[in-house]
Amino acid sequence: MKISIVGAGHVATHFSIRLQQLGFEIAGVFSRTRESAQLLADKLGGVFCTTSIDRLPKADICLVALTDGALQQLCPQIVKTQQGKALFLHTAGSVDMNIWKENGASRYGVLYPMQTFSKNNPIDWKTVTLFVEAANSQDTEFLLDLGKKMSQKVYPSTSAERLEMHLAAVFCCNFINSMFDISSKILTEIGLPFDIMYPLIDETVRKSRLMPPAQAQTGPAVRGDRNVMDKHLALLENKELWSEIYKLISKNIQLSK
């Protein structure tokens, strides 16, 4: 079975490599930048690559891993070029499956991974939770079967559910990483490396697996320790944004008790 890949970023890279490992033939790779397209094509053993959607080979499956904006912009052209019996799939958490129908596709669905990807960091696919959705029952069964070959955790999901999950993932991953960034910058100002926080991070994640996060909460906000909180805010006196973040999250912690 042949698959054409639209995109050459983190998600497209990991998906195409995994699918190739499972025996699928990568018919071609599209990216709007030649360098990215060529880099992924080389990783896949020198498959065809292009910066023109019109030149992307037709395949049994067209897997699109783009930003939401790029997907919306290119969707009409993708469908027009690949139309036929192709199954159109996107990997986005916050884009409705029906974007394919709205642009004329007859077979379409979603293959959404609940994971953060980096090009050069290997992914243990067995631990990645996949959520699938398709326009008909036959393609739904195909995607569930495909998902089970890729991972040990595969579930059907509607577009509305997936959007809620994506919101939860932003809080759990993107926002948490932003907090790591603030922590790192605070430590840098006093000449300390961020890796001193690794044991604390590891223990926090470990506890989240054992009990509800609200029950695992520690720190001055949950204790209502105004003295410590005021000292922290004094240190943030010249960092208005960080100070507001500190106040808002502390308030949420107190309201969540």
Side-chain angles (χ1 to χ4, degrees), residues 139-152:
D139 287 332
T140 299
E141 288 304 313
F142 169 75
L143 289 179
L144 287 169
D145 183 62
L146 173 60
K148 290 173 184 176
K149 292 176 182 176
M150 298 180 72
S151 169
Q152 294 178 347

Side-chain angles (χ1 to χ4, degrees), residues 19-206:
L19 289 167
Q20 190 180 64
Q21 290 171 345
L22 292 173
F24 290 89
E25 178 184 346
I26 307 300
V29 171
F30 162 84
S31 176
R32 288 187 285 190
T33 60
R34 167 60 62 180
E35 183 180 0
S36 295
Q38 191 65 59
L39 183 62
L40 178 52
D42 290 344
K43 287 184 178 181
L44 297 170
V47 303
F48 174 79
C49 65
T50 181
T51 57
S52 172
I53 283 288
D54 296 336
R55 294 190 62 211
L56 186 66
K58 288 187 177 181
D60 303 294
I61 298 172
C62 181
L63 180 69
V64 181
L66 298 170
T67 64
D68 291 4
L71 172 56
Q72 292 167 358
Q73 180 184 1
L74 292 175
C75 192
Q77 193 176 356
I78 294 169
V79 173
K80 181 180 178 181
T81 300
Q82 291 286 310
Q83 187 58 286
K85 295 183 178 180
L87 171 60
F88 292 91
L89 302 173
H90 73 66
T91 62
S94 55
V95 178
D96 195 287
M97 176 182 70
N98 286 325
I99 189 174
W100 294 119
K101 181 180 180 181
E102 293 163 2
N103 285 281
S106 57
R107 293 181 61 211
Y108 51 89
V110 180
L111 186 58
Y112 171 59
M114 183 66 76
Q115 184 55 276
T116 178
F117 294 91
S118 299
K119 280 187 181 180
N120 297 319
N121 290 339
I123 289 288
D124 181 2
W125 274 100
K126 293 180 181 179
T127 67
V128 176
T129 306
L130 292 171
F131 296 94
V132 305
E133 182 181 18
N136 62 62
S137 58
Q138 184 176 352
D139 287 332
T140 299
E141 288 304 313
F142 169 75
L143 289 179
L144 287 169
D145 183 62
L146 173 60
K148 290 173 184 176
K149 292 176 182 176
M150 298 180 72
S151 169
Q152 294 178 347
K153 302 176 182 179
V154 187
Y155 304 95
S157 171
T158 66
S159 290
E161 291 169 340
R162 197 172 60 254
L163 181 58
E164 295 275 5
M165 286 187 287
H166 192 261
L167 171 61
V170 166
F171 274 95
C172 192
C173 176
N174 307 137
F175 288 178
I176 293 295
N177 192 66
S178 182
M179 298 303 101
F180 289 167
D181 180 52
I182 293 174
S183 174
S184 176
K185 287 172 179 173
I186 290 171
L187 292 170
T188 297
E189 289 180 357
I190 57 174
L192 291 174
F194 181 63
D195 61 20
I196 67 170
M197 292 294 174
Y198 290 171
L200 178 60
I201 293 169
D202 291 344
E203 178 61 12
T204 301
V205 172
R206 188 190 71 83

Side-chain angles (χ1 to χ4, degrees), residues 239-256:
K239 295 181 173 63
E240 183 177 352
L241 179 58
W242 292 1
S243 178
E244 286 304 307
I245 291 171
Y246 185 99
K247 291 175 185 176
L248 285 171
I249 294 179
S250 294
K251 182 177 181 180
N252 187 67
I253 288 171
Q254 292 170 336
L255 292 174
S256 299

Side-chain angles (χ1 to χ4, degrees), residues 197-239:
M197 292 294 174
Y198 290 171
L200 178 60
I201 293 169
D202 291 344
E203 178 61 12
T204 301
V205 172
R206 188 190 71 83
K207 287 199 298 184
S208 74
R209 295 174 181 268
L210 301 176
M211 64 188 80
Q215 292 182 19
Q217 189 69 60
T218 61
V222 76
R223 296 194 305 269
D225 194 334
R226 191 71 248 177
N227 183 51
V228 172
M229 294 171 68
D230 286 343
K231 289 180 180 179
H232 289 167
L233 289 170
L235 292 173
L236 297 173
E237 185 177 5
N238 296 320
K239 295 181 173 63

